[in-house]
Amino acid sequence: MEEDEFFGEKTFQHYCAEFIKHSQQIGDGWEWKISKDCSDGYMCKTHFQIKSGTVVSHPGTSAYVQTCLPTEEALELPLDDFEVPETAVASEVIKYEYHVLYSCSYQVPVLYFRASFLDGRPLTLKDVWEGVHECYKTRLLQGPWDTITQQEHPVLGQPFFVLHPCKTNEFMTPVLKNSRKINRNVNYITSWLSIVGPVVGLNLPLSYANATSQDERNVD
Amino acid sequence: MAEEPESVLQLPPSTAVGGEGLTEVSPEAVTSEPPSSAAVSPGTEEPAGDTKKKIDILLKAVGDTPIMKTKKWAVERTRTIQGLIDFIKKFLKLVTSEQLFIYVNQSFAPSPDQEVGTLYECFGSDGKLVLHYCKSQAWG
């Protein structure tokens, strides 16, 4: 049944619901959002990550980084950027938002994401490509425009980065076929997100792998 | 040669550049390991020897991915999924445009930084960790 590789919106919502159920059990922070004007929805999660930049070689500046020292000593440290070379970037906190939406045209889930510094400055597409995990970087940098692009979020209408879904079916099919052979029900969303997530800094805790086998109902 | 379920080959160290290929297990090359009762050393700091303890991994191909001639490997616990992916890609002589994915439970891809030792604790059984691997031109 090839139809299993392509699934409809209802199946998407079902798998997302199961996924979120486990997320709630382990406090992983995923939520379901309903779009106001339609009956569809999407999953989302906000995640903060420390991005280590170039090490500042100035003496005394190491404590300047991202600390919120309640002591008065913090005020004595150089507060402004003038003493720090422009090229030296301290570690910064980056806010990532991940959204999982359903693509009607491809009939697969799609990962939208955006990233910004805490002061609201968005990361550029170049920053995003450079932040891709080493594992995938080589392939990605061969043809970055094919893979991560910037598009308007279908529901929010704001610019998001998108991991292009055109090849999703290609890497999902062998996994699904293999699981079907041994009669195991797989949560498509869990499998898919475990594969695409790490590309853009999203790692699923291992407990999701066991959660899927608890869902024994067929989705039809 | 047909598959050799009994042979356990040592995975080359991750610092090896250029792929050393298979290393036959000869009597002197085998590290003397403590009995595989998987016991944790009580209370002490980890001596260097403990972190080198290897786990057995059984690699299975998915889809039309080439099957590795040697499927069973002894791998250091601290080896990451990324390290394993790099090794398999070299072993199978995949080109850089081909991506390789590794799965536990046949359906879940651990993140590349995950250590195989942890995966063994969570998903291992019968003294080994079964990992499925699948190649794909996932993007582009």
Side-chain angles (χ1 to χ4, degrees):
Chain A
M1 262 199 301
E2 283 188 8
E3 212 177 314
D4 286 350
E5 285 83 348
F6 298 89
F7 59 38
E9 181 121 24
K10 281 229 176 325
T11 313
F12 166 77
Q13 291 180 2
H14 168 80
Y15 283 134
C16 286
E18 293 296 313
F19 181 90
I20 288 174
K21 215 189 277 179
H22 184 73
S23 167
Q24 287 167 343
Q25 285 171 2
I26 64 170
D28 197 30
W30 285 91
E31 293 179 334
W32 181 257
K33 301 271 186 193
I34 301 176
S35 54
K36 287 178 188 149
D37 48 354
C38 349
S39 61
D40 53 14
Y42 59 94
M43 281 200 327
C44 76
K45 172 181 168 164
T46 300
H47 165 71
F48 293 91
Q49 196 173 311
I50 296 175
K51 174 183 176 181
S52 46
T54 316
V55 174
V56 178
S57 54
H58 267 237
T61 51
S62 55
Y64 164 67
V65 171
Q66 62 149 5
T67 52
C68 307
L69 294 172
T71 63
E72 287 176 357
E73 279 136 24
L75 298 177
E76 294 174 19
L77 294 170
L79 289 175
D80 52 61
D81 293 324
F82 298 135
E83 298 185 35
V84 177
E86 279 177 2
T87 53
V89 177
S91 298
E92 299 194 69
V93 178
I94 299 185
K95 173 184 167 189
Y96 285 89
E97 274 180 72
Y98 298 103
H99 293 211
V100 174
L101 280 81
Y102 178 72
S103 161
C104 294
S105 41
Y106 288 95
Q107 293 191 291
V108 290
V110 188
L111 183 62
Y112 286 75
F113 63 101
R114 63 180 171 186
S116 58
F117 298 100
L118 289 185
D119 60 6
R121 277 177 300 137
L123 260 70
T124 63
L125 193 50
K126 185 168 174 291
D127 289 332
V128 168
W129 283 331
E130 279 165 15
V132 167
H133 196 285
E134 282 306 315
C135 214
Y136 310 103
K137 229 174 182 171
T138 319
R139 173 63 195 98
L140 198 76
L141 292 175
Q142 279 175 2
W145 296 103
D146 295 331
T147 313
I148 298 181
T149 58
Q150 198 160 22
Q151 285 181 29
E152 194 178 278
H153 191 288
V155 175
L156 302 177
Q158 294 164 20
F160 270 71
F161 298 116
V162 182
L163 199 55
H164 206 276
C166 61
K167 295 286 183 178
T168 298
N169 205 49
E170 193 179 308
F171 62 80
M172 286 303 296
T173 302
V175 180
L176 297 172
K177 274 207 178 119
N178 195 53
S179 293
R180 220 176 303 125
K181 255 195 275 179
I182 58 162
N183 238 3
R184 156 187 246 124
N185 283 320
V186 168
N187 184 318
Y188 188 111
I189 291 295
T190 305
S191 287
W192 166 79
L193 202 50
S194 73
I195 296 168
V196 299
V199 180
V200 293
L202 173 64
N203 294 312
L204 294 186
L206 289 177
S207 61
Y208 279 103
N210 284 321
T212 56
S213 52
Q214 289 163 13
D215 176 21
E216 289 179 3
R217 290 167 300 149
N218 273 326
V219 183
D220 264 324
Chain B
M1 277 176 83
E3 56 175 321
E4 311 158 353
E6 295 303 317
S7 75
V8 176
L9 298 187
Q10 307 289 313
L11 202 68
S14 52
T15 49
V17 175
E20 289 177 358
L22 300 184
T23 337
E24 296 279 1
V25 175
S26 59
E28 21 327 335
V30 175
T31 51
S32 55
E33 297 177 339
S36 54
S37 55
V40 177
S41 304
T44 56
E45 295 294 323
E46 297 172 20
D50 272 8
T51 53
K52 293 252 188 243
K53 183 167 181 175
K54 296 186 195 297
I55 56 150
D56 287 345
I57 289 183
L58 185 62
L59 294 172
K60 292 190 168 180
V62 171
D64 49 9
T65 311
I67 299 172
M68 290 174 79
K69 198 170 86 168
T70 305
K71 299 178 181 52
K72 203 167 179 203
W73 296 87
V75 183
E76 292 167 6
R77 282 176 180 268
T78 50
R79 180 69 67 109
T80 61
I81 285 289
Q82 178 180 348
L84 200 55
I85 287 175
D86 290 342
F87 173 75
I88 298 174
K89 281 177 80 170
K90 279 202 193 111
F91 194 92
L92 295 177
K93 296 185 172 54
L94 297 188
V95 297
T96 45
S97 62
E98 290 173 304
Q99 195 70 50
L100 191 89
F101 299 107
I102 289 184
Y103 302 95
V104 293
N105 277 2
Q106 291 186 221
S107 62
F108 184 87
S111 70
D113 299 327
Q114 196 69 247
E115 291 184 359
V116 297
T118 312
L119 294 177
Y120 177 78
E121 299 301 325
C122 299
F123 304 102
S125 65
D126 298 330
K128 65 183 183 300
L129 173 68
V130 177
L131 295 176
H132 286 76
Y133 63 93
C134 185
K135 79 164 173 141
S136 162
Q137 273 195 298
W139 296 292

